[in-house]
Amino acid sequence: MQERGRYCSQLLVLLVVLLFIISFYVVPISGKKGSGLIDVDVGVILDADNIVGKVSQTCISMALEDYYALNRNHSTRRRIVLHKRDSKGDVVEAASATIDLLKNVQVQAILGPQTSSEAEFVIDIGNKTQVPIISQAMSPSLSPAENPYFIRGAQSSSSQVESLTAIVQAFGWREVVLIYEDTNYGRGLEPFLTDSFQGISTQVRHQSVLSLSASDDHILQELYKLMTMQTRVFVVHMLPFLASRFFTKVKQAEMMNTGYAWIITDGLTSLLDSMDPTIINSMQGVIGVKPYVPKSSQLENFKVRWRKRFRQENPNVDRFEMNVFGLWAYDSVTALAMAVGRSGIGVSKFKKPVAKENLTDLAAIGISEMGPRLLQSLQNIEFNGLSGKFHLLNGQLQPLFFQIVNVIGKGDREIGFWTRKYGISKHLSLPSSKNYSTNKDDLGAIIWPGESNVVPKGWEMPTGEAMLRVGVPVKNGFSEFVSVERDSQTNAVIATGFCIDVFKEVMDHYLPYAIPHEFLPFETPDGESAGSYDDLVYQVFLGNYDAVVGDITILSSRSRFVDFTFPYMGSSVAMVVPFEDDRTNAWIFMKPLKMDLWVTTVFFFVLTGFVVWVVEHGVNKEFQGPPGKQVGMIFWFSFSTLVFAQKENLITNLSRFVVIVWVFVVLVLTSSYTASLTSMLTVQKLKPSVTDIRDLIQSKEHVGYQQGSFVQDLLKNQKFDPSKLKDYSTFEQYDKALSSGSKNGGVAAIVDELPYINLFLANPTYCAKYTMVALVGPIYNTAGFGFAFPKGSPLVPDVSRAILNVTGQDVMTRIDEEWLGGGATCAEQDGATVTSDSLTLDSFKGLFIVAAVAPLFALMLFLSIFLYENWDTLSSKNFTIREKRIAMAKSFHGEKANSSDASKRKHPTGEGMAVPAAATIDCPQSPATSDSQIVELIFSHDEGFCTTETSTPIHEIIEIVEINEER
């Protein structure tokens, strides 16, 4: 019995050891004994009291069930185990739940939280522990690029910016007001919207920021402030918690009436189905955008199952509908389950830090060893989910289409779509050839606030400000354009003039709505002008005026502070100068040609004479002689071609060719000179004293301009001395200054804009004494006169269109005739603009090119022939360089074979005569005579007699030798 008992004891010990060994191998592979599966712990942090959290919680549970039901034989055998926590909508609770899940459960991923404020802290913890955080936080301030372990399981709020901008652009709204909640979610979208609106020239006129804890009274107070502004287009970016109270107060403040336009963002539009009917009733006419979810049988079947499951889990919730956040939660869990299977992760392990005292809970958690592998599998996953194409790219869910809806009745109604490729459209099925469009006609019918079918123009006259404040300049002269007076009894401002009548006609008869306005003079307490036109325009920027009307020139420097309408009168800068009668000018014969043309002509006279002298000098006696005579011949020969033929005969063909070309050039020049001088003396009796503004700068003359005009700065920029500039304010002052002249306290010219000059010269008295000189160049061109409004004012496009209509009607002609004489011109000047009659070098460039080529060609050919004929001398090694140079000079000055000199005559026998050898015997070399002197004798210019007396001519001896031989 003892043996048997001992045997049983041993067998029992062996069985225990065996079970222990089996458990050692099995337990690490399974979270549940006998299951054979690896449990992957995943945390879920949602707000259990929020409708979005409730919907998402049910969707997450159903997603896991559906995924593993469809993948029973999944090869990885890894299953997600959910550990749910309630954030209670509090940032601290969300952070606490995260630490609990990481420290006590050691989860390998966390789903949620859904609000941006809660997610910001949770994401930071995930980055430090290397645990992926899959959140639906939509704020662009939370970026997967900056937070590597953040996976956004929803579309970023910034993805809808282009669709919102397209809507504003489609309706032509130039101003909007942004209203958003003071949270991370609300503030994150503001910079993206502002930049996008600026890209379409739409200004964000005001930003209203509301706290989640704002009282109803505070909301009403903010709405009343918005009512005092002229903008009537509002873009609202907030979640239902604040939006429900906000739109209730909007309705109460009567801002959901005709003329208003309200646009809501996707965070609110996507949850309209879950909002109370009374709130929906206060939002009638609102336009919204939301991510488009394509319809499918799979989605419809899921909705049926989801409603049943949700009702069981939340029996106390009366109003609920599936929303896109629930679908994104479903697809996010599916993506996580797929990533878990692909990553091959095992049991959760955290690498603990080296033991230290006083470690915080977060530091004690350590770093997940499986997190990086799971993140890599999850970051770029793609599949077709319930919400459509679920594509994560670098941790960010990619947007596809946006649906545009109109809040009508009990919910929203689809009116169109927006896509990145096609813009706004009624349908998604579009031809590939269609271009991007922001046409409002591509949207369905819209019911606007107040049950109106009329598109709101986007602005109204501000409540409490019954009149448009219009600033007008105060000036002593030029009253035809604008004049300001005060009624002697009521002291009311009376503004008159051409500019005022045009403004009244535009505002009173050509705008589709009435704009009450009042004129406010820009003056000091004593009734004088308060500054220049630049100062007046700047008052609009400061907010002292709502508009400025008058003879205001549209300038780029001014457009930095205001927006100008389309010009109602064209303009440019010109000069007024006195007439000058050139017939009394003693030097009028010099004026037909400009100085550069005179200088060039004289140069070519000298060049032609020099070339002819060079070619003829060696063969023509008339071009030889003393140096003074030869220099005189150069000038005499070329200049004499102006009046008569030369008495000098030309021997060479080269010189004849040069002279023929030069005679043609002289013919053209003299004809042009004669025509120009004749015109000056007969056709044009009067001429402006100045024809070029640059002459005024060089001569340092005094110049006048209109007081307060931008012309002063223009003249300074053209390098005019400021001390030489004088300002005037009336036509009478213009006349007196021009009559006096620059040397007698007046000015040489008045520089002003064309409308003033035309009006000045329309007076017959001034017309007879002065004329206008056009200034050529882009700096003297202006856009004309226009009305100035604040930057981004919605009045500008409407007033500009009205100006175009007015300028094309007879009413504009009537106003022009009433104030400006209908564009009357000076009869004596026949309306011609005077310019300079002097001929310039540019007109004869081609002629002088020909005149230069001919003599230069002849000179080069002559030099080539001369060098060829004297090549023996140049190449000889018997002479020094100095001797060669002297020999070449003698050869250039020597006579040629075709000369009439007696020394070159032929002997009757046909052989040329030469000095006989005996002659050299009769002329023995003097002991004082050097070899160089012999060379000089041989190449002597006068071929002198062979003697040490170089001045003794030899040709007489040659004559004697010939006579003796004949005898």
Side-chain angles (χ1 to χ4, degrees):
M1 288 294 293
Q2 290 181 350
E3 291 292 333
R4 187 176 182 182
R6 187 181 304 129
Y7 175 77
C8 290
S9 298
Q10 292 177 351
L11 185 62
L12 181 61
V13 172
L14 182 62
L15 181 62
V16 171
V17 172
L18 181 62
L19 289 174
F20 177 77
I21 295 173
I22 293 175
S23 65
F24 178 79
Y25 286 100
V26 173
V27 170
I29 314 175
S30 175
K32 297 179 181 178
K33 292 183 180 181
S35 64
L37 301 176
I38 299 176
D39 290 340
V40 179
D41 296 312
V42 174
V44 179
I45 302 176
L46 299 172
D47 184 0
D49 295 330
N50 184 281
I51 186 63
V52 176
K54 294 178 181 293
V55 171
S56 298
Q57 188 169 336
T58 302
C59 290
I60 289 174
S61 299
M62 296 181 66
L64 278 182
E65 296 171 4
D66 292 348
Y67 180 80
Y68 290 123
L70 294 174
N71 298 274
R72 293 182 183 274
N73 299 320
H74 202 275
S75 60
T76 61
R77 310 299 294 170
R78 292 170 175 81
R79 298 240 174 179
I80 293 176
V81 177
L82 299 178
H83 302 270
K84 300 178 182 179
R85 298 291 187 271
D86 184 6
S87 69
K88 300 178 182 179
D90 184 72
V91 175
V92 177
E93 289 287 343
S96 177
T98 303
I99 294 175
D100 174 56
L101 289 170
L102 292 172
K103 182 179 180 181
N104 301 321
V105 183
Q106 292 192 339
V107 295
Q108 300 193 42
I110 294 178
L111 291 165
Q114 293 177 308
T115 65
S116 299
S117 300
E118 298 174 21
E120 184 176 9
F121 289 92
V122 176
I123 291 171
D124 187 52
I125 295 174
N127 290 334
K128 293 179 179 179
T129 58
Q130 296 187 3
V131 173
I133 308 297
I134 308 169
S135 172
Q136 293 181 359
M138 301 171 66
S139 175
S141 62
L142 300 176
S143 170
E146 299 175 357
N147 301 280
Y149 283 85
F150 170 41
I151 304 295
R152 197 196 305 273
Q155 293 181 9
S156 172
S157 294
S158 61
S159 63
Q160 65 182 320
V161 167
E162 292 183 73
S163 61
L164 295 171
T165 304
I167 294 174
V168 172
Q169 186 177 13
F171 295 104
W173 293 322
R174 296 292 303 278
E175 289 184 354
V176 298
V177 171
L178 294 184
I179 305 173
Y180 54 91
E181 61 181 46
D182 190 13
T183 62
N184 196 325
Y185 167 78
R187 293 186 299 269
L189 188 63
E190 180 272 328
F192 294 90
L193 278 176
T194 302
D195 292 344
S196 184
F197 286 144
Q198 287 180 350
I200 60 170
S201 300
T202 296
Q203 186 175 17
V204 178
R205 179 60 64 181
H206 180 72
Q207 295 182 24
S208 181
V209 186
L210 296 176
S211 172
L212 293 179
S213 59
S215 63
D216 292 349
D217 291 339
H218 177 75
I219 294 175
L220 274 175
Q221 183 180 359
E222 188 68 21
L223 290 173
Y224 288 141
K225 183 171 71 174
L226 296 178
M227 290 177 65
T228 64
M229 303 176 185
Q230 64 180 8
T231 308
R232 291 294 181 265
V233 180
F234 304 96
V235 179
V236 181
H237 179 56
M238 56 182 64
L239 294 173
F241 175 76
L242 180 60
S244 58
R245 293 193 298 125
F246 174 77
F247 279 103
T248 300
K249 296 307 173 184
V250 169
K251 183 75 172 179
Q252 181 180 336
E254 297 183 353
M255 294 179 68
M256 199 60 72
N257 294 336
T258 303
Y260 288 87
W262 294 88
I263 304 174
I264 58 177
T265 58
D266 60 353
L268 179 58
T269 309
S270 299
L271 298 174
L272 287 175
D273 293 337
S274 302
M275 297 180 69
D276 190 89
T278 57
I279 306 301
I280 299 298
N281 185 58
S282 65
M283 299 175 64
Q284 298 295 299
V286 171
I287 293 179
V289 297
K290 63 181 180 180
Y292 173 68
V293 178
K295 296 179 180 179
S296 65
S297 58
Q298 181 185 4
L299 176 60
E300 294 303 320
N301 293 334
F302 173 76
K303 285 183 178 180
V304 173
R305 295 189 295 112
W306 175 84
R307 287 191 184 95
K308 183 178 179 180
R309 176 79 168 263
F310 186 85
R311 191 175 287 110
Q312 292 174 353
E313 295 178 353
N314 303 278
N316 297 326
V317 179
D318 297 329
R319 183 178 178 83
F320 59 89
E321 287 291 339
M322 172 57 64
N323 54 58
V324 71
F325 297 103
L327 298 179
W328 282 337
Y330 183 98
D331 290 341
S332 296
V333 173
T334 303
L336 179 59
M338 295 171 64
V340 166
R342 295 175 182 177
S343 63
I345 60 176
V347 177
S348 177
K349 293 183 181 180
F350 280 76
K351 184 178 181 181
K352 303 293 182 179
V354 179
K356 293 181 180 180
E357 296 182 358
N358 301 323
L359 285 176
T360 62
D361 287 345
L362 182 59
I365 293 174
I367 298 176
S368 174
E369 295 182 355
M370 301 298 175
R373 293 169 58 184
L374 180 59
L375 178 69
Q376 186 176 4
S377 298
L378 189 59
Q379 271 188 323
N380 297 289
I381 202 165
E382 181 178 358
F383 62 93
N384 291 323
L386 292 181
S387 62
K389 185 177 181 180
F390 192 87
H391 180 201
L392 291 175
L393 181 62
N394 296 325
Q396 170 66 59
L397 181 62
Q398 298 302 297
L400 292 178
F401 314 120
F402 281 93
Q403 188 178 18
I404 306 174
V405 299
N406 186 200
V407 179
I408 296 295
K410 297 181 180 181
D412 56 18
R413 176 172 58 88
E414 178 187 295
I415 58 174
F417 300 91
W418 179 89
T419 62
R420 193 178 300 275
K421 182 178 181 180
Y422 299 114
I424 293 176
S425 60
K426 290 183 180 179
H427 310 285
L428 286 177
S429 56
L430 297 171
S432 58
S433 59
K434 186 181 184 301
N435 296 323
Y436 187 90
S437 170
T438 56
N439 191 341
K440 63 182 179 181
D441 295 332
D442 290 333
L443 292 173
I446 301 176
I447 304 299
W448 298 97
E451 299 183 358
S452 172
N453 294 320
V454 179
V455 177
K457 62 177 180 288
W459 67 276
E460 297 287 349
M461 286 304 298
T463 303
E465 295 185 19
M467 306 290 269
L468 187 73
R469 300 168 300 164
V470 180
V472 291
V474 174
K475 50 202 308 184
N476 297 325
F478 309 100
S479 58
E480 294 85 353
F481 291 94
V482 60
S483 176
V484 178
E485 299 177 352
R486 289 189 179 272
D487 188 279
S488 58
Q489 297 180 352
T490 63
N491 200 36
V493 176
I494 302 175
T496 57
F498 172 81
C499 304
I500 301 298
D501 281 4
V502 172
F503 179 76
K504 289 180 178 178
E505 188 68 25
V506 167
M507 304 300 286
D508 297 343
H509 300 100
Y510 283 86
L511 283 182
Y513 40 82
I515 302 292
H517 54 269
E518 60 177 340
F519 295 110
L520 302 176
F522 183 53
E523 62 182 1
T524 60
D526 57 357
E528 297 296 325
S529 175
S532 65
Y533 275 40
D534 288 340
D535 298 330
L536 173 59
V537 170
Y538 192 66
Q539 298 302 308
V540 177
F541 178 77
L542 296 177
N544 296 328
Y545 298 133
D546 299 319
V548 166
V549 172
D551 45 348
I552 311 295
T553 304
I554 301 174
L555 299 175
S556 59
S557 58
R558 295 172 179 172
S559 64
R560 292 181 298 172
F561 306 104
V562 297
D563 280 348
F564 283 100
T565 62
F566 191 84
Y568 58 88
M569 172 177 273
S571 180
S572 62
V573 178
M575 283 195 308
V576 177
V577 297
F579 276 123
E580 181 183 75
D581 191 350
D582 276 343
R583 294 171 298 175
T584 61
N585 189 342
W587 297 95
I588 190 174
F589 68 89
M590 294 291 293
K591 292 192 174 183
L593 306 183
K594 284 285 188 180
M595 182 55 65
D596 57 352
L597 185 55
W598 277 116
V599 173
T600 304
T601 303
V602 171
F603 171 78
F604 273 90
F605 269 112
V606 177
L607 176 64
T608 302
F610 172 76
V611 173
V612 171
W613 172 80
V614 169
V615 176
E616 290 287 327
H617 175 72
V619 297
N620 195 332
K621 274 286 191 177
E622 295 179 353
F623 286 87
Q624 299 174 0
K629 175 187 175 183
Q630 297 182 49
V631 172
M633 179 60 66
I634 292 175
F635 287 95
W636 159 260
F637 182 83
S638 59
F639 280 95
S640 63
T641 56
L642 286 171
V643 292
F644 54 82
Q646 302 80 7
K647 69 182 184 65
E648 295 81 12
N649 294 323
L650 300 179
I651 295 177
T652 66
N653 289 329
L654 285 177
S655 59
R656 291 169 182 167
F657 166 71
V658 172
V659 171
I660 289 174
V661 174
W662 177 242
V663 169
F664 171 74
V665 173
V666 170
L667 175 64
V668 175
L669 287 174
T670 53
S671 301
S672 302
Y673 175 86
T674 303
S676 180
L677 182 61
T678 302
S679 174
M680 290 182 177
L681 293 175
T682 58
V683 177
Q684 188 173 327
K685 304 299 182 183
L686 299 175
K687 184 177 180 179
S689 56
V690 180
T691 59
D692 194 331
I693 193 171
R694 290 172 294 187
D695 295 338
L696 296 174
I697 302 175
Q698 296 173 358
S699 59
K700 298 183 179 180
E701 299 280 1
H702 286 87
V703 176
Y705 63 91
Q706 185 182 155
Q707 187 178 33
S709 171
F710 74 95
V711 174
Q712 179 186 14
D713 294 331
L714 186 147
L715 293 175
K716 289 181 179 179
N717 293 335
Q718 293 304 302
K719 308 304 180 182
F720 273 92
D721 185 353
S723 63
K724 300 294 183 181
L725 302 179
K726 298 183 178 181
D727 61 332
Y728 302 101
S729 57
T730 64
F731 286 151
E732 291 75 14
Q733 293 178 356
Y734 277 13
D735 178 38
K736 183 179 179 180
L738 288 170
S739 299
S740 300
S742 180
K743 297 181 179 179
N744 299 316
V747 295
I750 295 288
V751 180
D752 208 343
E753 293 182 84
L754 202 58
Y756 306 106
I757 294 177
N758 288 337
L759 186 61
F760 177 71
L761 295 179
N763 188 320
T765 303
Y766 306 144
C767 169
K769 298 189 293 181
Y770 313 112
T771 186
M772 181 186 71
V773 177
L775 300 180
V776 180
I779 62 172
Y780 302 112
N781 296 328
T782 64
F785 294 164
F787 305 134
F789 288 89
K791 274 284 188 181
S793 173
L795 274 174
V796 173
D798 291 341
V799 174
S800 295
R801 282 189 289 267
I803 289 175
L804 290 175
N805 292 330
V806 170
T807 53
Q809 302 296 326
D810 294 336
V811 63
M812 193 68 177
T813 304
R814 176 183 59 78
I815 296 174
D816 184 70
E817 290 178 350
E818 179 181 352
W819 291 103
L820 307 180
T825 58
C826 181
E828 294 188 13
Q829 299 179 30
D830 295 328
T833 301
V834 182
T835 57
S836 173
D837 288 320
S838 299
L839 300 174
T840 64
L841 179 61
D842 292 338
S843 303
F844 299 95
K845 282 184 177 179
L847 186 67
F848 282 113
I849 290 175
V850 174
V853 170
L856 293 178
F857 171 75
L859 184 61
M860 292 175 62
L861 185 59
F862 168 79
L863 291 176
S864 300
I865 296 173
F866 177 76
L867 294 175
Y868 176 76
E869 292 178 347
N870 293 274
W871 182 250
D872 292 340
T873 302
L874 289 173
S875 59
S876 175
K877 298 181 179 180
N878 299 325
F879 302 125
T880 64
I881 295 177
R882 181 174 179 274
E883 290 171 343
K884 290 180 181 180
R885 189 166 58 249
I886 294 174
M888 292 295 292
K890 294 293 184 179
S891 177
F892 174 72
H893 292 293
E895 295 180 348
K896 305 299 179 183
N898 59 351
S899 173
S900 59
D901 195 294
S903 63
K904 296 298 179 181
R905 287 179 297 181
K906 298 288 184 177
H907 188 271
T909 62
E911 297 180 359
M913 286 300 301
V915 179
T920 60
I921 298 173
D922 295 336
C923 301
Q925 182 176 343
S926 172
T929 304
S930 64
D931 293 339
S932 62
Q933 287 175 323
I934 295 175
V935 176
E936 291 180 8
L937 290 173
I938 295 173
F939 294 97
S940 173
H941 163 61
D942 295 323
E943 296 184 1
F945 184 70
C946 185
T947 177
T948 55
E949 301 289 339
T950 57
S951 60
T952 304
I954 193 174
H955 59 271
E956 294 179 359
I957 303 300
I958 296 174
E959 294 281 355
I960 295 172
V961 171
E962 290 180 350
I963 292 171
N964 292 334
E965 287 186 354
E966 289 176 359
R967 290 176 183 177

